[in-house]
């Protein structure tokens, strides 16, 4: 009652007083009271309100129209009562009234259609109402063809509604009624009409007379149609193509660009909804025609899952706020739908479709469950309850149910692979899945993992997307409000490691490397897995390459990776060690890694100083398996040195610290060092300045090392002048060790060598041999000067000339016998030369006769030459040198019977002496004389034959006395 | 019925607020918005802008920047601008979060125009009321903002003066283009 009094009052005021805006205010108030506060009053006051339609003011008329619109939405049956007013107002003089009416007709027509489709009984009245409706409709449609631009825009919206609603309505109709047709609405006819309407719009777009505003409105209308009726897409693309060509002839520049811009935006928007790839190329060309860039096309293409990005992101950003907002929206939607009394299930369907992306993107137990719950509840209760309250419809679900439902839905998404693929929404599915997995706890994760691992080759990209998603969450990129939330990478780390572990175990090498190289962050645990990967002999090569690319491309973890790689250089497995060394060597060539690698190498080197191998040298497995060794073994020494040695050949300066280390280590290590030094040092080359420096600064105790290094170098080639000088310097000033000179023998002058010869031959026998070998091998070297050449004969002569003060005889003998043993060098010719020179010396060297004897034993054919020598000795009165004389006699003995003629040339005293010493000679000599011819016999001086014959009697005592001496 | 105007720039600070100020003084019904993700104000260097969320009051930003570096922000005019803004309304508003309806929406950059169009496109359609979205490029600095505000205001007054905007808008915009030599983007959308 209170309301009705108030309404009467307001209506009176609106009728009588005030200007337009106050009256409109009053009428609005009435509308509020009747339609929202007490709908039962509607019947009572409808006539009064409708009477305002004849008011003069267009504003009042417009208010009445909106009143009718709202009333019809609440109760479609009212159309029967208001249809006359509508017809009247449609033909009003004022264009704004007409506009408003047409706009309102959009919803009135819709609600009437829905009502008619469901009403069971159609009486005459209804039929006539429908006829009038149809008239109104026809009138509005005809506006398109009229010349009146002003109403066109709204007419377009009306036609768009027709094109979209008739089919929608038709679906409701078939759902809600058993019959296909009812008395007014015929399915086929409606379908037909819908097509006509669409055609009309399309035709309209291409007509020439329309304004740019109307064109834009029409473009919007057809795009909306295309969005919901995909059959039209290709048709509409054609239309746009024509527009593209014709536009500029009909409009001025800025209008053209506005229209083009609109079409571009609409096309991009449509792109989201067009899953079919058949028209893709046509689409892209068209978009390009309208000025869309490739980036824009990509952004909107369904394949890149950018669909309704705004929605997704905003939902994520402000999840909580959005949730409530969206829920409110849903509530509003439903409220409105109830008022319209549209067919409920269909709307719910639509709602559900609209909600789907949202539901799946903002997954949260509660929202997921409540919204489903809410939808199902609301659909049940729609018909009974008029005033709908969300809170009444919501009941909390059991936790188990929530769990089950969410799992079920997740499984459904998982199983929809084929379907989604076929419809071009695979990307969306992937996105939904990864989001779900990221947001939910362990349960989803395991399922998802199993799902991916079931067919890793096909699904590894899911794993990658998942990992990236976790990264994004961990970084907090998707939250606005928790910007300060601490970054937490545990989950990310966990997943990365599990994936890596799996690829490792199941031998997917390519996936392993792809994952680790493309992971946004490589955690320590992941590095640890990589380490194990590298330590596996099957993968070590592959693993090292991964490490290498990580070192080069990932600056943040570069140090860690490099360190890891360096640690591998002393791995227990030699092939792994070599692999890592290869990689290190290639990295070492790059400036940025050089220093750290070298530092590490030197650190390893310095481990050798410690009493026992440090733990760091052993890999983790080893530490577990065996107790670290207490002493150095060859293997552990090798490990310390391997990296260092591999670097020396390219970085010569590294050689310097070696000498210091060398001094400090014990002899086993020294031995190993010398052993393995050869190859790298050889690679350094003899010309290295660093080597020279090392020689120059050689610390005490490292001579062996230096000698060894030099030795390695000089085995094949002549040492450089610098080195020779340095070594000589070292030898003379600091270390009088002759061994130092051996490697540089080939660089020393002839005099130097000969002067040092006494010292050389004091060395152990093998070394002497080596020295001789080197001295003599100089011959072949073309680089040595002629004057520096030491011929074998010269060497032997030099040996003979060594005085006994300098050297013991025995040493010299040993040295000469080394020469004799070198048959290939000391041929008979050379010996002849040597002997000839020696015999001319005065005094004759002590060893001379020994040498003669040796020569004879090696080369018996030389006997004639030796006879010459003996003859020469006689002429030089060899008996004056006791040792030579002794040798002479021995020689005569050895060279029987050739020596007999020589003996005969001896002066009698000497001959007597000889014969006294050896009886064998005398017998031989006697025989020799007897066998001579008488002529020869007579040539023997008588003094000598007397000696022979005299002595032949008492030969025994003499020989006895001699042998006892 | 007076027309309902909206002016949208990216942060709802300079260009849109200048126009808001101008147009409301001339008696137009106007609201202003930003379309970006956050409110960005110049900072000590180009790489370090001051970033706020859209629900931060101008008052707060004013005090915040005053405390950070009063002389810098006085010198570059940011404090002056915030001072003006806090007299107009409490805090910036984001266009995408508002459900207000308008007859004309002005944007000051093509990018913002696109954002507005996309947002309107994605809204639920209810009433089919027409809305004109008009872009006129305005550079984001105080001087150009003033100039832009002046132009928008003049355009708004012309629109207000017509009887039937939908019909006259083409003419108004063409005339405007000729006069100012600026390009105008114009599209319609529906609520």
């Amino acid at each position: 009652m209170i309301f009705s009094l108030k309404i009467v009052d307001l209506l009176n005021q609106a009728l009588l007083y005030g200007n337009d805006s106050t009256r409109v205010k009053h009428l609005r108030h009435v509308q509020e009271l009747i339609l929202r506060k007490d709908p039962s009053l509607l019947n009572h006051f409808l006539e009064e309100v409708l009477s305002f339609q004849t008011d003069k003011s267009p504003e009042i008329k417009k208010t009445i129209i909106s009143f009718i619109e709202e009333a019809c939405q609440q109760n479609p049956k009212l159309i029967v009562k208001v249809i006359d007013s509508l017809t009247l107002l449609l033909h009003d003089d004022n264009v704004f009234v007409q506009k408003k009416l047409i706009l309102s007709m959009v919803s009135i027509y819709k609600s009437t259609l829905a009502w008619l489709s469901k009403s069971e009984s159609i009486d005459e009245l209804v039929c006539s109402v429908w006829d009038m409706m149809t008239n109104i409709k026809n009138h509005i449609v005809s506006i398109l063809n009229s010349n009146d631009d002003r109403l066109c825009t709204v007419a377009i919206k009306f036609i768009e509604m027709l094109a979209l609603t008739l089919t929608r309505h038709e679906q409701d109709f078939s759902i809600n009624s058993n019959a296909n047709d009812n008395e007014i609405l015929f399915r086929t006819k409606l379908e037909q009409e819908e097509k006509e309407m669409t055609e009309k719009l399309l035709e309209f777009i291409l007509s020439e007379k329309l304004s740019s505003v109307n064109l834009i409105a029409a473009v919007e209308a057809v795009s909306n149609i295309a969005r919901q009726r995909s059959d039209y897409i290709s048709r509409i693309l054609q239309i746009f193509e024509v527009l593209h060509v014709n536009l500029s002839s009909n409009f001025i520049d800025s209008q053209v660009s506005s229209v083009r811009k609109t079409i571009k935006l609409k096309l991009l928007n449509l792109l989201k909804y067009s899953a079919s790839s058949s028209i893709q190329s046509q689409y892209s060309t068209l978009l390009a025609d309208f000025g869309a860039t490739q980036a824009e096309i990509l952004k909107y293409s369904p394949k890149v899952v950018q669909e309704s990005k705004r929605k997704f992101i905003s939902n994520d950003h402000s999840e909580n706020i959005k949730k409530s907002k969206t829920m409110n929206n849903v509530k509003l939607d439903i409220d409105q739908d109830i008022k319209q009394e549209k067919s409920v299930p269909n709307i719910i369907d639509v709602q559900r479709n609209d909600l789907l992306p949202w539901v799946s993107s903002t997954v949260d137990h509660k929202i997921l469950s409540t919204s489903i719950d809410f939808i199902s509840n609301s659909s049940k209760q729609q018909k009974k309850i008029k005033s709908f309250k969300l809170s009444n419809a919501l009941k909390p679900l059991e936790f188990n149910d929530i769990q089950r439902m969410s799992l079920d839905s997740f499984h459904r998404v998982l199983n929809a692979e084929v379907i989604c693929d076929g419809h071009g929404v695979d990307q969306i599915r992937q996105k939904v899945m990864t989001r779900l997995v990221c947001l939910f706890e362990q349960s989803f994760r395991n399922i998802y993992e199993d799902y991916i691992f079931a067919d890793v080759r096909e699904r590894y990209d899911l794993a990658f997307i998942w990992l990236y998603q976790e990264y994004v969450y961990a970084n907090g990129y998707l939250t606005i409000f928790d910007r300060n939330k601490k970054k937490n990478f545990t989950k990310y780390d966990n997943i990365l490691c599990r994936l890596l572990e799996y690829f490792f175990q199941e031998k997917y090498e390519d996936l392993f490397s792809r994952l680790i190289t493309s992971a946004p962050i490589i955690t320590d645990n992941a590095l640890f897995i990589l380490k194990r990967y590298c330590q596996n002999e099957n993968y070590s090569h592959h693993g090292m390459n991964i490490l290498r690319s990580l070192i080069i491309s990932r600056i943040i973890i570069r140090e860690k990776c490099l360190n890891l790689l360096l640690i591998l250089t002393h791995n227990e497995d030699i092939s792994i060690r070599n692999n890592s060394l290869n990689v290190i060597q290639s990295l070492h060539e790059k400036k940025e890694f050089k220093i750290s690698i070298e530092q590490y190498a030197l650190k390893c080197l310095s481990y050798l100083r410690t009493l026992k191998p440090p733990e760091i040298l052993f890999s983790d497995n080893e530490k577990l398996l065996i107790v670290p060794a207490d002493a150095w073994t060859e293997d552990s020494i090798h490990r310390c040195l391997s990296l260092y040695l591999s670097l020396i050949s390219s970085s010569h300066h590294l050689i310097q610290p070696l000498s210091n280390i060398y001094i400090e280590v014990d002899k086993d290590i020294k031995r190993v060092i010398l052993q393995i030094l050869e190859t790298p040092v050889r690679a350094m080359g003899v010309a290295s300045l660093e080597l020279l420096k090392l020689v120059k600064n050689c610390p005490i105790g490292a001579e062996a090392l230096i000698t060894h290094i030099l030795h390695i170098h000089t085995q094949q080639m002549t040492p450089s002048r610098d080195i020779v000088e340095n070594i000589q310097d070292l030898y003379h000033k600091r270390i009088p060790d002759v061994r130092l000179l051996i490697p540089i023998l080939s660089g020393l002058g002839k005099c130097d060598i000969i002067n040092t010869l006494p010292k050389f031959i004091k060395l152990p026998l093998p070394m002497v041999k080596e020295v001789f070998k080197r001295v003599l091998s100089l011959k072949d070297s073309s680089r040595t000067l002629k004057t520096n050449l030491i011929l074998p004969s010269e060497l032997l002569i030099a040996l003979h000339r060594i005085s006994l003060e300098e050297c013991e005889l025995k040493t010299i003998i040993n040295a000469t016998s080394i020469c004799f043993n070198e048959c290939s060098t000391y041929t008979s010719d050379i010996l002849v030369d040597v002997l000839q020179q020696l015999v001319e010396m005065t005094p004759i060297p002590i060893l001379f006769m020994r040498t003669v004897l040796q020569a004879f034993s090696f080369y018996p054919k030389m006997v004639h030459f030796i006879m010459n020598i003996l003859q020469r000795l006689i002429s030089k009165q060899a008996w004056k040198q006791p040792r030579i004389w002794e040798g002479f006699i021995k020689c005569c003995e050895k060279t029987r019977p050739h020596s007999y003629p020589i003996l005969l040339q001896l002066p009698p005293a000497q001959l007597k002496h000889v014969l006294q010493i050896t009886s064998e000679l005398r017998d031989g000599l006697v025989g020799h004389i007897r066998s001579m011819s008488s002529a020869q016999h007579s040539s023997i001086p008588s003094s000598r034959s007397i000696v022979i014959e005299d002595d032949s009697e008492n030969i025994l005592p003499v020989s006895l006395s001699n042998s006892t001496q | 019925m007076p027309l309902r105007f909206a002016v949208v720039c990216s942060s709802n600070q300079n260009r849109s607020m200048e126009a808001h100020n101008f147009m409301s003084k001339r008696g137009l019904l106007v609201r202003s918005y930003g379309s970006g993700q956050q409110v960005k104000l110049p900072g000590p260097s180009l790489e370090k802008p001051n970033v706020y969320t859209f629900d931060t009051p101008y008052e707060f930003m004013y005090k915040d920047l005053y405390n950070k570096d009063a002389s810098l922000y006085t010198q570059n005019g940011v404090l002056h601008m915030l001072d003006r803004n806090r007299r107009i309304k409490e805090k910036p508003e984001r266009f995408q979060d508002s459900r207000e309806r308008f007859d004309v929406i002005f944007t000051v950059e093509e990018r913002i125009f696109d954002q507005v169009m996309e947002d309107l496109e994605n809204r639920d359609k209810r009433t089919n009321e027409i809305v004109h979205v008009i872009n006129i490029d305005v550079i984001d600095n105080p001087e150009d903002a003033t100039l832009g505000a002046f132009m928008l205001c003049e355009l708004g007054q012309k629109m207000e003066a017509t009887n039937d905007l939908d019909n006259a808008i083409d003419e108004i915009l063409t005339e405007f283009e000729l006069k100012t030599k600026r390009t105008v983007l114009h599209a319609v959308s529906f609520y």
Side-chain angles (χ1 to χ4, degrees), chain B residues 160-183:
Chain B
E160 189 68 60
T162 58
N163 199 15
D164 184 354
L165 177 67
D166 299 348
N167 229 18
I169 194 157
D170 269 353
E171 209 174 308
I172 294 175
L173 291 179
T174 317
E175 191 190 319
F176 176 84
E177 279 188 316
L178 280 177
K179 192 175 148 196
T180 60
K181 304 273 184 280
R182 286 186 185 239
T183 337

Side-chain angles (χ1 to χ4, degrees), chain A residues 96 150 254 258 261 266, chain B residues 110 114 121 163 167 177 186:
Chain A
F96 294 108
R150 293 173 299 175
S254 70
S258 298
K261 176 109 198 169
K266 295 292 167 195
Chain B
E110 192 164 335
D114 291 350
E121 174 88 4
N163 199 15
N167 229 18
E177 279 188 316
H186 168 220

Side-chain angles (χ1 to χ4, degrees), chain A residues 96 99 103 106 150 153 157 212-213 216 227 252 254-255 258 261 266 269 300 310 333 336, chain B residues 110 114 117-119 121-122 125-126 128 130 163-164 166-167 170 174 177 184-186 188 190:
Chain A
F96 294 108
K99 244 185 208 177
L103 274 185
V106 172
R150 293 173 299 175
T153 326
K157 286 315 274 186
S212 74
V213 172
I216 291 174
R227 200 155 81 180
I252 61 167
S254 70
Q255 284 172 340
S258 298
K261 176 109 198 169
K266 295 292 167 195
N269 242 314
Y300 282 91
R310 191 185 61 84
D333 291 347
Q336 218 140 8
Chain B
E110 192 164 335
D114 291 350
M117 285 304 285
E118 196 186 345
D119 180 64
E121 174 88 4
N122 288 327
K125 307 288 178 184
R126 286 271 166 259
N128 292 317
I130 191 168
N163 199 15
D164 184 354
D166 299 348
N167 229 18
D170 269 353
T174 317
E177 279 188 316
V184 175
L185 266 181
H186 168 220
V188 291
F190 298 87

Side-chain angles (χ1 to χ4, degrees), chain A residues 122 197 221 332 357-358 364 445 504 508 518 544 565 589 602 607 623 629 632 656 774:
Chain A
I122 309 285
M197 289 304 141
L332 285 178
W358 165 72
D364 179 86
R445 230 181 294 167
F504 185 11
Y508 292 110
S518 60
M544 307 281 182
L565 189 57
E589 287 159 15
L602 293 178
Y607 290 152
K623 277 179 204 159
W632 288 95
Q656 308 295 352
R774 278 173 176 260

Side-chain angles (χ1 to χ4, degrees), chain A residues 514-533:
Chain A
R514 266 182 68 176
L515 181 63
I516 200 155
T517 46
S518 60
I521 276 188
I522 297 172
T523 57
D524 288 348
N525 289 336
L527 272 184
F528 188 70
I529 294 179
L530 181 59
K531 185 178 172 188
R532 281 202 287 122
Y533 192 75

Side-chain angles (χ1 to χ4, degrees), chain A residues 414-426:
Chain A
L414 280 185
N415 295 333
E417 187 175 14
V418 179
I419 304 170
C420 288
D421 228 5
H423 290 75
V425 289
D426 199 39

Side-chain angles (χ1 to χ4, degrees), chain A residues 615-642:
Chain A
E615 274 196 14
I616 191 168
L617 224 48
F618 301 98
S619 66
D620 308 322
N621 312 351
E622 271 182 297
K623 277 179 204 159
L624 292 177
L625 286 175
I626 45 167
V627 188
D630 282 339
W632 288 95
T633 60
E634 193 154 326
D635 180 56
S636 54
I637 299 168
H638 273 285
R639 285 199 208 180
C640 273
L641 285 169
S642 53

Side-chain angles (χ1 to χ4, degrees), chain B residues 63-180:
Chain B
K63 285 185 178 150
D64 188 34
L65 293 189
Y66 190 88
N67 293 333
K68 273 185 185 164
D69 190 344
S71 71
L72 170 70
Y73 295 112
T74 311
Q75 206 176 7
N76 66 11
V78 172
L79 283 181
H80 176 74
M81 183 180 77
L82 285 169
D83 183 44
R84 182 217 37 220
N85 293 352
R86 67 181 174 176
R87 291 167 208 276
I88 298 174
K89 60 182 187 182
E90 189 200 349
K91 46 184 154 185
E93 293 167 271
R94 189 158 182 267
F95 180 78
Q96 288 91 330
D97 295 336
S98 125
R99 283 296 172 267
E100 203 77 15
R101 287 175 195 165
F102 300 96
D103 297 302
V104 179
I105 300 173
F106 287 118
T107 61
V108 293
E109 241 176 74
E110 192 164 335
R111 184 176 55 83
I112 299 169
F113 176 85
D114 291 350
Q115 284 170 342
V116 167
M117 285 304 285
E118 196 186 345
D119 180 64
L120 289 173
E121 174 88 4
N122 288 327
R123 288 188 189 183
D124 289 331
K125 307 288 178 184
R126 286 271 166 259
T127 63
N128 292 317
E129 277 178 79
I130 191 168
V131 52
H132 296 273
V133 186
I134 294 163
N135 180 66
I136 295 166
D137 284 343
V138 177
I139 300 167
D140 196 359
N141 64 36
E143 296 76 26
D144 282 279
T146 312
L147 199 66
F150 184 74
M151 286 191 303
L152 291 184
C153 184
E154 203 181 63
L155 205 52
Q157 281 177 316
K158 277 212 181 99
M159 290 176 177
E160 189 68 60
T162 58
N163 199 15
D164 184 354
L165 177 67
D166 299 348
N167 229 18
I169 194 157
D170 269 353
E171 209 174 308
I172 294 175
L173 291 179
T174 317
E175 191 190 319
F176 176 84
E177 279 188 316
L178 280 177
K179 192 175 148 196
T180 60

